[in-house]
Amino acid sequence: MESIWMEETEIRKREPLPGDMEAEAVVIGAGLAGILTAYYLKQAGIRTVVLEADRIGSGQTKNTTAKITSQHSLVYGQMIQTFGRRMAEHYAGANEAAIKEYERLIREKGIDCDFARCPAYLYSRTEETLLRQEAEAAKSLGIEASFETDCELPFSVAGVTKFAHQAKFHPLRFLAKMAEEVEVYEQTKVLKVEGRRVETGRGCVTAEHIVFAAHFPFINIPGYYFARMYQERSYVVALEGTERPEGMYLGIDRDGLSFRTQGNLLLLGGGSHRTGVNKGKGAGKGGRYEMLHDKARELYPGCREALRWSAQDCMTLDGLPYIGRFSRRNPGWYVATGFGKWGMTTAMVSAGILTALISGRECPEADIFSPQRHFTAQAAKELAVHGAHTVKGLAKHLLPAGSEEIIPNCPHMGCRLEWNPDEESYDCPCHGSRFDREGHLLEGPAQTDCRRRDG
Ligand code: FES
């Protein structure tokens, strides 16, 4: 199922890595975070190459709803309490600066990618107090935020938290242009990273600095990202024949939805669940698209579904991304992952932070995003939940595996895969790897296909 962005964009093909090579920096992954990081490193005078296992933008950049915003659900009140005001200011400031930087780049380079400023809103049918508190917290950090009761949505709400001057764009058109400015090798899968050597099936790149920007890091140790991150899937339907709100909306209630207009379409999103745990309606599983479809017909009678697709997001234990040094043990390695649902804005934040770290510039914003930041009480709670899923997934792999031709145990660390009827894929509840019906790898951290039964 192709997203609206894929339908409308052709990105120029690149050659695979021609053989062994030296560079100052190598970026693994040619999504938005990887391409932007390579672009700014090049601007800083650092010779950088990008290695991509598939095609430019073939990962999660193509599946986003492409909101560029510092509004990341209800985060600022909690962040001030947990990390302190100064750190929260850095988070808010880095995200607001990212919106401005997109605008500057797009203007300067004349990129035709439907960039538009618009407000972003959180809505709730019941939680007026939470929305008021979030607006106050954000305002206290320098964001132009307010609580309001006016809303463009076709149902009544208790109120909205409005962030003014946020933005939206066409991510693949933007990416296609930016990728022209950097050295990218496609169809070049990284097999192993050791010290300064990045080994691929096409040759080896040696570099002082290595950036892991391919969604979920495939290296388990060091870093231990598998133990402090899981993945979530969410679903989008693009609708014709609806009202088209100017603002972008996100519900904070349990059944909250995402609304965002693109051209004559309304992108309606929702139905998030931990990857590998798709307990929806019907026979106890799946039904995410049907839920969105029913909602669409209820809210916009007579509307028509033009497209549908889904996204996969890396979720961290404390809800903030991991951007910075990969681990204390590997000083030349860097990572950008755990973007949650906010990949577009966070990709730009990552590019800024990683370029500063690699080029030795001061970067006060880096601390709040650091993968080595202190472990919070919220993170400890999430760790217990994450651990329980992993134990369950691992225990299940001992059960008889049914009659499938593939052996449905995840090649990453062995958890039992679960069938996702909405996507017709085998999904791993432990860390979110996915495989098609024949067991071919769709998404990592696993690096290989499932094993098949002999004969
Ligand atoms: Fe880690 Fe499946 S993704 S065990």
Side-chain angles (χ1 to χ4, degrees):
M1 286 174 258
E2 292 209 333
S3 72
I4 181 176
W5 322 118
M6 293 165 78
E7 283 224 322
E8 296 175 347
T9 322
E10 191 64 48
I11 300 182
R12 184 171 68 81
K13 274 193 179 155
R14 310 299 157 88
E15 293 300 317
L17 186 72
D20 291 354
M21 187 178 281
E22 291 213 2
E24 286 176 82
V26 54
V27 175
I28 303 169
L32 198 50
I35 292 292
L36 284 174
T37 302
Y39 170 77
Y40 288 103
L41 286 172
K42 186 179 165 195
Q43 298 295 304
I46 295 168
R47 197 208 152 199
T48 305
V49 300
V50 182
L51 304 177
E52 167 56 47
D54 190 359
R55 299 278 329 273
I56 294 166
S58 60
Q60 291 311 311
T61 302
K62 70 183 188 312
N63 297 328
T64 172
T65 50
K67 297 171 177 173
I68 307 174
T69 176
S70 60
Q71 185 181 71
H72 299 169
S73 194
L74 292 177
V75 295
Y76 289 109
Q78 184 66 45
M79 202 182 298
I80 293 169
Q81 275 184 24
T82 310
F83 293 98
R85 178 163 300 280
R86 204 163 65 84
M87 293 286 247
E89 276 169 359
H90 285 156
Y91 185 91
N95 280 285
E96 284 284 310
I99 305 171
K100 289 201 183 98
E101 182 58 9
Y102 271 116
E103 186 168 40
R104 187 195 70 75
L105 261 186
I106 289 164
R107 281 227 180 105
E108 183 185 295
K109 296 182 180 298
I111 302 176
D112 177 13
C113 63
D114 300 337
F115 180 89
R117 289 278 195 164
C118 61
Y121 299 90
L122 298 175
Y123 75 84
S124 167
R125 291 173 183 264
T126 54
E127 301 292 345
E128 179 183 332
T129 308
L130 285 179
L131 292 169
R132 280 185 189 279
Q133 287 169 345
E134 183 67 5
E136 282 309 309
K139 205 158 96 180
S140 77
L141 299 172
I143 293 173
E144 197 179 327
S146 55
F147 173 81
E148 298 190 359
T149 47
D150 264 3
C151 170
E152 302 164 282
L153 296 175
F155 48 84
S156 64
V157 296
V160 292
T161 300
K162 175 182 178 184
F163 281 23
H165 308 304
Q166 308 297 294
K168 56 187 178 179
F169 72 154
H170 190 306
L172 290 190
R173 279 197 212 143
F174 174 79
L175 183 69
K177 276 282 182 208
M178 293 308 296
E180 291 297 333
E181 309 231 4
V182 296
E183 188 176 340
V184 188
Y185 298 101
E186 294 184 327
Q187 305 296 335
T188 302
K189 183 171 176 165
V190 173
L191 305 173
K192 195 167 156 193
V193 183
E194 242 174 24
R196 296 173 61 226
R197 285 170 57 83
V198 179
E199 289 178 24
T200 79
R202 311 271 187 173
C204 173
V205 183
T206 309
E208 188 77 18
H209 310 287
I210 298 167
V211 176
F212 293 80
H215 199 58
F216 200 122
F218 63 89
I219 288 186
N220 292 334
I221 301 169
Y224 298 92
Y225 291 93
F226 70 90
R228 48 202 186 110
M229 207 160 64
Y230 64 95
Q231 302 201 64
E232 267 192 19
R233 293 201 70 69
S234 55
Y235 301 81
V236 182
V237 291
L239 303 168
E240 288 171 338
T242 66
E243 289 152 33
R244 281 172 281 150
E246 187 220 340
M248 307 179 289
Y249 288 81
L250 178 70
I252 61 162
D253 302 327
R254 259 180 88 84
D255 58 351
L257 298 168
S258 159
F259 298 78
R260 181 263 211 236
T261 300
Q262 172 66 21
N264 65 344
L265 297 174
L266 177 70
L267 311 187
L268 180 69
S272 292
H273 62 85
R274 185 184 175 107
T275 302
V277 189
N278 187 2
K279 292 192 170 42
K281 54 189 226 181
K285 288 213 165 182
R288 306 287 166 161
Y289 287 119
E290 285 67 25
M291 179 278 289
L292 286 176
H293 199 74
D294 292 351
K295 260 294 166 216
R297 279 195 302 213
E298 177 194 323
L299 298 175
Y300 306 104
C303 69
R304 196 183 75 77
E305 185 183 310
L307 287 166
R308 55 168 64 179
W309 70 91
S310 61
Q312 172 123 322
D313 298 301
C314 293
M315 315 301 287
T316 64
L317 300 179
D318 61 11
L320 304 185
Y322 298 132
I323 303 166
R325 297 197 187 279
F326 192 94
S327 82
R328 293 185 209 279
R329 272 171 45 189
N330 299 70
W333 292 13
Y334 302 84
V335 68
T337 189
F339 292 1
K341 314 281 180 193
W342 312 107
M344 301 296 96
T345 330
T346 315
M348 183 63 86
V349 171
S350 303
I353 290 174
L354 296 179
T355 304
L357 293 177
I358 290 171
S359 55
R361 267 195 287 118
E362 281 277 299
C363 185
E365 299 80 36
D367 288 354
I368 181 79
F369 296 96
S370 167
Q372 289 82 43
R373 62 181 172 262
H374 76 256
F375 201 63
T376 64
Q378 184 196 346
K381 245 193 267 170
E382 287 295 322
L383 182 65
V385 175
H386 183 44
H389 275 284
T390 306
V391 169
K392 199 166 148 194
L394 283 169
K396 270 189 171 178
H397 103 281
L398 299 170
L399 299 173
S403 58
E404 300 96 336
E405 281 182 17
I406 67 158
I407 298 175
N409 292 335
C410 181
H412 179 229
M413 295 177 85
C415 289
R416 173 59 57 90
L417 302 172
E418 301 285 342
W419 180 245
N420 179 355
D422 287 319
E423 298 297 315
E424 302 200 341
S425 59
Y426 288 100
D427 297 355
C428 180
C430 290
H431 316 110
S433 294
R434 299 180 60 240
F435 306 84
D436 70 13
R437 194 180 273 281
E438 278 77 43
H440 299 122
L441 179 67
L442 296 171
E443 311 196 35
Q447 284 287 79
T448 57
D449 296 343
C450 290
R451 281 195 301 130
R452 299 183 70 83
R453 291 181 203 289
D454 292 336

